[in-house]
Amino acid sequence: MSDSLHNAGYLRLRHIIGDPKATPPIPPIIPVSRSTWWAGVKTGRFPAPVKVGPGITAWRVQDIRTLIDQLGN
């Protein structure tokens, strides 16, 4: 899955945990619930977000790639 990610940039939460209600549906990269994701951010298990604008929170692609590598081991 990490091979399909861009080399740089940002991902919004719906692109990380998926959004089955989107048109077309967005498959999850990390298949966890929204509450599990935020709990993991709080404890440091998942990477911290970056505020890219008012009301816009995202995660660096590189941080998500690193997380995928860690979870794969």
Side-chain angles (χ1 to χ4, degrees):
M1 177 58 73
S2 65
D3 293 340
S4 65
L5 295 176
H6 297 330
N7 291 326
Y10 297 93
L11 294 169
R12 299 287 305 271
L13 184 56
R14 65 189 270 172
H15 296 104
I16 298 169
I17 65 170
D19 185 354
K21 295 180 181 177
T23 304
I26 301 170
I29 296 170
I30 309 290
V32 298
S33 70
R34 183 176 296 272
S35 60
T36 298
W37 179 263
W38 282 110
V41 168
K42 185 176 180 179
T43 63
R45 179 176 180 212
F46 299 138
V50 176
K51 293 294 277 186
V52 293
I56 302 173
T57 301
W59 284 261
R60 292 178 188 90
V61 169
Q62 188 56 44
D63 292 345
I64 300 302
R65 285 179 173 276
T66 300
L67 175 63
I68 291 168
D69 290 343
Q70 290 172 350
L71 293 174
N73 290 333

